[in-house]
Amino acid sequence: MSMLPYDLISMQDLDKAQIVSIMERATYYKAKVIDQGARLKVLEGRSIATLFFEPSTRTRCSFEMAGKYLGAEVLNVEIATSSVTKGESLKDTGLTLQMMGVDLFVIRHPMSGASGLFASYVEPPVINGGDGSHEHPTQALLDLMCMLDKLGSVAGRKVAIIGDVFHSRVARANATCLTKMGAEVVFAGPPTLMPDGADMMGCRLTYSMEEALKGADVVMMLRVQMERQKAGMFPTVSEYHRLYGLTPERIAMASKGALVMHPAPINRGVEISTPAADGPQSQINYQVTCGVAVRMALLDMMIRRGC
Ligand code: CP
């Protein structure tokens, strides 16, 4: 087993051997805890604090479930009713919680770089639960687990990541993770929602959804991040859906049996139609299950270092 870095801020922090170790531990916990229903005490006496400065259902709740399944205490800090509203800084918030005996922090923040900054202030390990448009490493790891479970391997597979790439921390984290694991990653989206290629790990960029779909083994749709849009990035929602929305007809352009993925929450009728989201190739619900397994693995490996 490879030892993990002290903090997990970006997929750049992990090498291939470490990613493989996380997948092995997550697979073990999925079988034992999720499939067989075991409740464990490996983190008994340990405490995890989650600080979500942005809304979340999947990431926050799955870290909470993961911690509880392993016997840890989980403190969900309610930012809206905390002293952050009185102007308390990120640093003072972290140090205050550290002095209460927190063993690991999970943080989500709207500012790119905030999770790394927070890690520089506090002693316990920090996991980035998503920071602005920068990174969302646990999402990339759960996406990888889903692909490995369904495809066996991702080496040499084509993964098309389509939509609002510019604002997407999921796209950036997946690009790093999947290229390390030997997959071919192609990004597609409208010109206004595509980054300049320099920060996309050398992956191919296209404005043509059809080109990205051709031969794809995985079709990963990205949420149009309405909360981060400047005006005029696309004319109307219906035009966006017509040009870049995933439908059963477009799924048929990918490889036979291609996996349909989305980090969620999904905007039905915008980046993905209901028949595509709920269809037989959709992995969206299974991704959630993988999220609990991956987060159990990370909490265990980062709190009980070397065990
Ligand atoms: N995929 C994801 O991060 O979902 P939440 O915003 O619900 O955590």
Short mmCIF file of all heavy atoms in Angstrom, two decimals, residues 210-254:
data_model
loop_
_atom_site.label_atom_id
_atom_site.label_comp_id
_atom_site.label_asym_id
_atom_site.label_seq_id
_atom_site.Cartn_x
_atom_site.Cartn_y
_atom_site.Cartn_z
N GLU A 210 -20.21 16.00 -31.28
CA GLU A 210 -20.23 14.75 -32.07
C GLU A 210 -18.82 14.17 -32.17
O GLU A 210 -18.62 12.96 -32.06
CB GLU A 210 -20.82 15.01 -33.45
CG GLU A 210 -22.33 15.24 -33.46
CD GLU A 210 -22.77 16.54 -32.76
OE1 GLU A 210 -21.99 17.51 -32.76
OE2 GLU A 210 -23.89 16.56 -32.21
N GLU A 211 -17.83 15.05 -32.39
CA GLU A 211 -16.44 14.58 -32.49
C GLU A 211 -16.00 13.95 -31.17
O GLU A 211 -15.34 12.90 -31.15
CB GLU A 211 -15.53 15.76 -32.85
CG GLU A 211 -14.09 15.36 -33.11
CD GLU A 211 -13.17 16.59 -33.24
OE1 GLU A 211 -13.62 17.63 -33.77
OE2 GLU A 211 -12.01 16.48 -32.82
N ALA A 212 -16.37 14.58 -30.06
CA ALA A 212 -16.00 14.03 -28.75
C ALA A 212 -16.68 12.69 -28.49
O ALA A 212 -16.09 11.77 -27.92
CB ALA A 212 -16.35 15.03 -27.66
N LEU A 213 -17.93 12.56 -28.92
CA LEU A 213 -18.70 11.34 -28.65
C LEU A 213 -18.20 10.14 -29.46
O LEU A 213 -18.26 8.99 -28.98
CB LEU A 213 -20.18 11.57 -28.99
CG LEU A 213 -20.96 12.46 -28.03
CD1 LEU A 213 -22.34 12.77 -28.61
CD2 LEU A 213 -21.11 11.79 -26.66
N LYS A 214 -17.67 10.40 -30.64
CA LYS A 214 -17.30 9.30 -31.55
C LYS A 214 -16.26 8.39 -30.88
O LYS A 214 -15.17 8.83 -30.51
CB LYS A 214 -16.73 9.89 -32.84
CG LYS A 214 -16.67 8.90 -33.96
CD LYS A 214 -16.28 9.57 -35.25
CE LYS A 214 -16.02 8.49 -36.28
NZ LYS A 214 -15.23 8.96 -37.39
N GLY A 215 -16.61 7.14 -30.67
CA GLY A 215 -15.69 6.16 -30.08
C GLY A 215 -15.48 6.30 -28.58
O GLY A 215 -14.63 5.62 -28.00
N ALA A 216 -16.27 7.16 -27.92
CA ALA A 216 -16.07 7.35 -26.47
C ALA A 216 -16.58 6.14 -25.69
O ALA A 216 -17.67 5.63 -25.95
CB ALA A 216 -16.77 8.62 -26.00
N ASP A 217 -15.79 5.70 -24.72
CA ASP A 217 -16.20 4.62 -23.82
C ASP A 217 -16.93 5.17 -22.61
O ASP A 217 -17.67 4.44 -21.94
CB ASP A 217 -14.97 3.84 -23.34
CG ASP A 217 -14.20 3.24 -24.50
OD1 ASP A 217 -14.74 2.33 -25.15
OD2 ASP A 217 -13.07 3.71 -24.79
N VAL A 218 -16.67 6.43 -22.32
CA VAL A 218 -17.34 7.11 -21.20
C VAL A 218 -17.76 8.49 -21.69
O VAL A 218 -16.95 9.21 -22.31
CB VAL A 218 -16.39 7.29 -19.99
CG1 VAL A 218 -17.09 8.04 -18.86
CG2 VAL A 218 -15.87 5.94 -19.50
N VAL A 219 -19.00 8.87 -21.42
CA VAL A 219 -19.49 10.21 -21.74
C VAL A 219 -19.82 10.87 -20.41
O VAL A 219 -20.76 10.48 -19.72
CB VAL A 219 -20.75 10.16 -22.63
CG1 VAL A 219 -21.22 11.58 -22.94
CG2 VAL A 219 -20.48 9.37 -23.89
N MET A 220 -18.99 11.82 -20.03
CA MET A 220 -19.19 12.51 -18.74
C MET A 220 -19.72 13.92 -19.03
O MET A 220 -19.04 14.74 -19.64
CB MET A 220 -17.87 12.59 -17.97
CG MET A 220 -18.04 13.19 -16.58
SD MET A 220 -16.46 13.41 -15.73
CE MET A 220 -15.94 11.71 -15.50
N MET A 221 -20.93 14.16 -18.60
CA MET A 221 -21.54 15.48 -18.81
C MET A 221 -21.27 16.36 -17.59
O MET A 221 -21.22 15.89 -16.46
CB MET A 221 -23.05 15.34 -19.01
CG MET A 221 -23.45 14.48 -20.19
SD MET A 221 -22.67 14.98 -21.74
CE MET A 221 -23.39 16.61 -21.98
N LEU A 222 -21.09 17.64 -17.85
CA LEU A 222 -20.83 18.59 -16.77
C LEU A 222 -22.03 19.50 -16.57
O LEU A 222 -22.67 19.92 -17.55
CB LEU A 222 -19.60 19.45 -17.10
CG LEU A 222 -18.29 18.69 -17.29
CD1 LEU A 222 -17.21 19.64 -17.78
CD2 LEU A 222 -17.86 18.02 -15.99
N ARG A 223 -22.28 19.83 -15.33
CA ARG A 223 -23.36 20.77 -15.02
C ARG A 223 -23.03 22.16 -15.55
O ARG A 223 -21.90 22.62 -15.40
CB ARG A 223 -23.55 20.83 -13.49
CG ARG A 223 -24.70 21.68 -13.02
CD ARG A 223 -24.90 21.50 -11.52
NE ARG A 223 -23.83 22.05 -10.73
CZ ARG A 223 -23.76 23.31 -10.29
NH1 ARG A 223 -24.73 24.16 -10.61
NH2 ARG A 223 -22.76 23.71 -9.55
N VAL A 224 -24.02 22.80 -16.15
CA VAL A 224 -23.86 24.22 -16.49
C VAL A 224 -23.97 24.99 -15.17
O VAL A 224 -25.01 24.96 -14.51
CB VAL A 224 -24.93 24.69 -17.50
CG1 VAL A 224 -24.79 26.19 -17.75
CG2 VAL A 224 -24.79 23.92 -18.81
N GLN A 225 -22.88 25.62 -14.78
CA GLN A 225 -22.80 26.23 -13.45
C GLN A 225 -23.38 27.64 -13.50
O GLN A 225 -22.67 28.62 -13.60
CB GLN A 225 -21.36 26.21 -12.95
CG GLN A 225 -20.84 24.78 -12.85
CD GLN A 225 -19.55 24.66 -12.08
OE1 GLN A 225 -19.26 25.44 -11.17
NE2 GLN A 225 -18.76 23.66 -12.43
N MET A 226 -24.72 27.69 -13.42
CA MET A 226 -25.44 28.96 -13.53
C MET A 226 -24.89 29.98 -12.52
O MET A 226 -24.81 31.17 -12.81
CB MET A 226 -26.93 28.75 -13.26
CG MET A 226 -27.61 27.75 -14.21
SD MET A 226 -27.62 28.31 -15.91
CE MET A 226 -28.64 27.05 -16.67
N GLU A 227 -24.49 29.50 -11.32
CA GLU A 227 -24.04 30.43 -10.28
C GLU A 227 -22.70 31.08 -10.60
O GLU A 227 -22.31 32.06 -9.97
CB GLU A 227 -23.99 29.71 -8.91
CG GLU A 227 -22.87 28.70 -8.71
CD GLU A 227 -23.16 27.31 -9.27
OE1 GLU A 227 -23.99 27.18 -10.19
OE2 GLU A 227 -22.52 26.35 -8.80
N ARG A 228 -21.94 30.50 -11.54
CA ARG A 228 -20.64 31.09 -11.88
C ARG A 228 -20.64 31.74 -13.26
O ARG A 228 -19.60 32.19 -13.73
CB ARG A 228 -19.54 30.00 -11.84
CG ARG A 228 -19.30 29.40 -10.47
CD ARG A 228 -18.06 28.53 -10.42
NE ARG A 228 -18.27 27.31 -9.67
CZ ARG A 228 -18.16 27.19 -8.35
NH1 ARG A 228 -17.79 28.21 -7.63
NH2 ARG A 228 -18.39 26.04 -7.76
N GLN A 229 -21.80 31.76 -13.95
CA GLN A 229 -21.83 32.30 -15.32
C GLN A 229 -21.81 33.82 -15.35
O GLN A 229 -22.49 34.45 -14.55
CB GLN A 229 -23.12 31.88 -16.05
CG GLN A 229 -23.37 30.41 -16.13
CD GLN A 229 -22.43 29.71 -17.08
OE1 GLN A 229 -21.87 30.35 -17.96
NE2 GLN A 229 -22.26 28.43 -16.90
N LYS A 230 -21.05 34.38 -16.28
CA LYS A 230 -21.23 35.78 -16.62
C LYS A 230 -22.31 35.80 -17.71
O LYS A 230 -22.56 34.78 -18.34
CB LYS A 230 -19.94 36.38 -17.16
CG LYS A 230 -18.81 36.39 -16.14
CD LYS A 230 -17.63 37.19 -16.66
CE LYS A 230 -16.43 37.05 -15.74
NZ LYS A 230 -15.65 35.84 -15.97
N ALA A 231 -22.93 36.94 -17.92
CA ALA A 231 -24.00 37.03 -18.92
C ALA A 231 -23.48 36.68 -20.30
O ALA A 231 -22.32 36.96 -20.64
CB ALA A 231 -24.58 38.43 -18.92
N GLY A 232 -24.31 36.05 -21.09
CA GLY A 232 -24.01 35.88 -22.51
C GLY A 232 -23.09 34.74 -22.86
O GLY A 232 -22.49 34.73 -23.93
N MET A 233 -22.92 33.75 -21.97
CA MET A 233 -22.02 32.64 -22.31
C MET A 233 -22.69 31.64 -23.25
O MET A 233 -22.03 30.88 -23.92
CB MET A 233 -21.48 31.98 -21.06
CG MET A 233 -20.50 32.93 -20.37
SD MET A 233 -19.61 32.21 -19.02
CE MET A 233 -17.92 32.62 -19.44
N PHE A 234 -24.02 31.63 -23.27
CA PHE A 234 -24.76 30.95 -24.33
C PHE A 234 -26.11 31.65 -24.45
O PHE A 234 -26.59 32.25 -23.48
CB PHE A 234 -24.89 29.44 -24.10
CG PHE A 234 -25.43 29.06 -22.75
CD1 PHE A 234 -26.80 28.98 -22.52
CD2 PHE A 234 -24.56 28.76 -21.71
CE1 PHE A 234 -27.28 28.63 -21.28
CE2 PHE A 234 -25.05 28.41 -20.45
CZ PHE A 234 -26.41 28.34 -20.23
N PRO A 235 -26.74 31.59 -25.66
CA PRO A 235 -27.93 32.43 -25.88
C PRO A 235 -29.10 32.07 -24.99
O PRO A 235 -29.60 32.93 -24.26
CB PRO A 235 -28.25 32.20 -27.37
CG PRO A 235 -27.03 31.60 -27.96
CD PRO A 235 -26.29 30.90 -26.87
N THR A 236 -29.56 30.83 -25.03
CA THR A 236 -30.69 30.41 -24.20
C THR A 236 -30.45 28.97 -23.76
O THR A 236 -29.67 28.24 -24.38
CB THR A 236 -32.03 30.44 -24.97
OG1 THR A 236 -31.93 29.50 -26.05
CG2 THR A 236 -32.37 31.82 -25.49
N VAL A 237 -31.15 28.57 -22.70
CA VAL A 237 -31.02 27.20 -22.20
C VAL A 237 -31.43 26.20 -23.27
O VAL A 237 -30.78 25.16 -23.47
CB VAL A 237 -31.86 27.03 -20.91
CG1 VAL A 237 -32.05 25.56 -20.56
CG2 VAL A 237 -31.19 27.76 -19.75
N SER A 238 -32.51 26.50 -24.03
CA SER A 238 -32.96 25.53 -25.03
C SER A 238 -31.94 25.39 -26.16
O SER A 238 -31.73 24.30 -26.68
CB SER A 238 -34.35 25.90 -25.57
OG SER A 238 -34.27 27.13 -26.24
N GLU A 239 -31.25 26.49 -26.50
CA GLU A 239 -30.21 26.37 -27.53
C GLU A 239 -29.02 25.58 -27.00
O GLU A 239 -28.41 24.79 -27.72
CB GLU A 239 -29.78 27.76 -28.03
CG GLU A 239 -30.72 28.28 -29.09
CD GLU A 239 -30.57 29.76 -29.33
OE1 GLU A 239 -30.70 30.53 -28.36
OE2 GLU A 239 -30.34 30.13 -30.48
N TYR A 240 -28.69 25.81 -25.73
CA TYR A 240 -27.59 25.03 -25.15
C TYR A 240 -27.94 23.55 -25.24
O TYR A 240 -27.11 22.72 -25.65
CB TYR A 240 -27.34 25.44 -23.68
CG TYR A 240 -26.16 24.69 -23.10
CD1 TYR A 240 -24.87 25.20 -23.24
CD2 TYR A 240 -26.32 23.45 -22.49
CE1 TYR A 240 -23.77 24.49 -22.76
CE2 TYR A 240 -25.23 22.75 -22.02
CZ TYR A 240 -23.96 23.27 -22.15
OH TYR A 240 -22.88 22.56 -21.70
N HIS A 241 -29.16 23.20 -24.86
CA HIS A 241 -29.56 21.79 -24.86
C HIS A 241 -29.53 21.22 -26.28
O HIS A 241 -29.11 20.09 -26.49
CB HIS A 241 -30.95 21.63 -24.24
CG HIS A 241 -31.36 20.19 -24.12
ND1 HIS A 241 -30.74 19.32 -23.27
CD2 HIS A 241 -32.31 19.47 -24.78
CE1 HIS A 241 -31.29 18.12 -23.38
NE2 HIS A 241 -32.24 18.18 -24.30
N ARG A 242 -29.98 22.03 -27.25
CA ARG A 242 -30.00 21.54 -28.63
C ARG A 242 -28.58 21.27 -29.14
O ARG A 242 -28.34 20.27 -29.82
CB ARG A 242 -30.71 22.57 -29.52
CG ARG A 242 -30.90 22.12 -30.97
CD ARG A 242 -31.86 23.04 -31.72
NE ARG A 242 -31.50 24.44 -31.70
CZ ARG A 242 -30.53 24.99 -32.45
NH1 ARG A 242 -29.83 24.25 -33.27
NH2 ARG A 242 -30.26 26.29 -32.36
N LEU A 243 -27.64 22.11 -28.75
CA LEU A 243 -26.28 21.99 -29.28
C LEU A 243 -25.40 21.05 -28.46
O LEU A 243 -24.55 20.34 -29.00
CB LEU A 243 -25.62 23.37 -29.36
CG LEU A 243 -26.24 24.32 -30.38
CD1 LEU A 243 -25.70 25.74 -30.18
CD2 LEU A 243 -25.95 23.83 -31.80
N TYR A 244 -25.57 21.05 -27.13
CA TYR A 244 -24.64 20.32 -26.26
C TYR A 244 -25.34 19.42 -25.23
O TYR A 244 -24.67 18.87 -24.35
CB TYR A 244 -23.71 21.30 -25.53
CG TYR A 244 -22.72 21.94 -26.48
CD1 TYR A 244 -22.94 23.22 -26.99
CD2 TYR A 244 -21.58 21.25 -26.91
CE1 TYR A 244 -22.04 23.80 -27.87
CE2 TYR A 244 -20.68 21.82 -27.80
CZ TYR A 244 -20.92 23.10 -28.28
OH TYR A 244 -20.04 23.65 -29.15
N GLY A 245 -26.65 19.26 -25.32
CA GLY A 245 -27.34 18.40 -24.36
C GLY A 245 -27.22 16.93 -24.74
O GLY A 245 -27.25 16.58 -25.93
N LEU A 246 -27.08 16.07 -23.74
CA LEU A 246 -26.98 14.63 -24.02
C LEU A 246 -28.39 14.03 -24.08
O LEU A 246 -29.19 14.20 -23.16
CB LEU A 246 -26.15 13.93 -22.94
CG LEU A 246 -25.80 12.47 -23.27
CD1 LEU A 246 -24.83 12.41 -24.46
CD2 LEU A 246 -25.20 11.75 -22.07
N THR A 247 -28.63 13.33 -25.18
CA THR A 247 -29.92 12.65 -25.42
C THR A 247 -29.61 11.20 -25.80
O THR A 247 -28.46 10.88 -26.13
CB THR A 247 -30.63 13.32 -26.62
OG1 THR A 247 -29.74 13.24 -27.75
CG2 THR A 247 -30.98 14.77 -26.33
N PRO A 248 -30.61 10.33 -25.79
CA PRO A 248 -30.36 8.94 -26.23
C PRO A 248 -29.78 8.88 -27.66
O PRO A 248 -28.93 8.03 -27.94
CB PRO A 248 -31.75 8.30 -26.15
CG PRO A 248 -32.42 9.06 -25.06
CD PRO A 248 -31.95 10.49 -25.21
N GLU A 249 -30.21 9.79 -28.53
CA GLU A 249 -29.68 9.80 -29.91
C GLU A 249 -28.18 10.09 -29.90
O GLU A 249 -27.41 9.50 -30.65
CB GLU A 249 -30.40 10.86 -30.76
CG GLU A 249 -31.89 10.60 -30.99
CD GLU A 249 -32.76 10.79 -29.74
OE1 GLU A 249 -32.43 11.66 -28.90
OE2 GLU A 249 -33.75 10.04 -29.58
N ARG A 250 -27.76 11.00 -29.05
CA ARG A 250 -26.32 11.32 -28.98
C ARG A 250 -25.54 10.21 -28.27
O ARG A 250 -24.38 9.95 -28.63
CB ARG A 250 -26.11 12.68 -28.31
CG ARG A 250 -26.47 13.82 -29.26
CD ARG A 250 -26.00 15.14 -28.73
NE ARG A 250 -26.04 16.15 -29.78
CZ ARG A 250 -26.58 17.35 -29.64
NH1 ARG A 250 -27.14 17.70 -28.49
NH2 ARG A 250 -26.57 18.19 -30.64
N ILE A 251 -26.14 9.57 -27.27
CA ILE A 251 -25.45 8.44 -26.62
C ILE A 251 -25.12 7.37 -27.67
O ILE A 251 -24.05 6.75 -27.63
CB ILE A 251 -26.31 7.85 -25.48
CG1 ILE A 251 -26.47 8.87 -24.35
CG2 ILE A 251 -25.69 6.55 -24.95
CD1 ILE A 251 -27.45 8.46 -23.26
N ALA A 252 -26.01 7.20 -28.64
CA ALA A 252 -25.81 6.18 -29.68
C ALA A 252 -24.60 6.49 -30.57
O ALA A 252 -24.10 5.61 -31.28
CB ALA A 252 -27.07 6.04 -30.53
N MET A 253 -24.11 7.74 -30.54
CA MET A 253 -22.91 8.09 -31.33
C MET A 253 -21.63 7.61 -30.64
O MET A 253 -20.57 7.56 -31.27
CB MET A 253 -22.81 9.61 -31.50
CG MET A 253 -23.94 10.20 -32.31
SD MET A 253 -23.73 12.00 -32.36
CE MET A 253 -25.28 12.46 -33.10
N ALA A 254 -21.70 7.31 -29.34
CA ALA A 254 -20.51 6.84 -28.61
C ALA A 254 -20.34 5.34 -28.82
O ALA A 254 -21.12 4.71 -29.55
CB ALA A 254 -20.69 7.16 -27.13
#
